[in-house]
Amino acid sequence: PIYKLEDLAVGDVLNGPAMLADGTQTIVVTPKAKALITETHVVLDIEHETKSEYVPLLFPISASCRF
């Protein structure tokens, strides 16, 4: 599914595969990964192919582009 970031609440957890989008970015949540929505970030837990460990990655949910 595709989700608008502004429609998600703090604390929401989305299971991949999924896409999260807003006006400036698109975040792909791969299969077996989870996305946790925080007040200022999207935290992705990505499962390793060879291990059952998770690696948290932080992505800011706001960005700006200058041309």
Side-chain angles (χ1 to χ4, degrees):
I2 300 172
Y3 299 92
K4 289 184 175 180
L5 280 171
E6 61 264 20
D7 293 341
L8 301 172
V10 171
D12 282 350
V13 176
L14 305 169
N15 294 312
M19 293 177 69
L20 314 176
D22 67 9
T24 62
Q25 64 187 335
T26 301
I27 299 170
V28 176
V29 184
T30 58
K32 298 185 180 180
K34 294 181 181 187
L36 169 65
I37 308 303
T38 70
E39 192 160 329
T40 57
H41 294 87
V42 174
V43 179
L44 295 178
D45 283 332
I46 301 171
E47 185 176 350
H48 285 272
E49 293 289 326
T50 58
K51 298 180 181 179
S52 61
E53 298 176 11
Y54 287 93
V55 177
L57 299 174
L58 297 177
F59 294 96
I61 60 171
S62 61
S64 63
C65 296
R66 295 182 186 191
F67 296 97

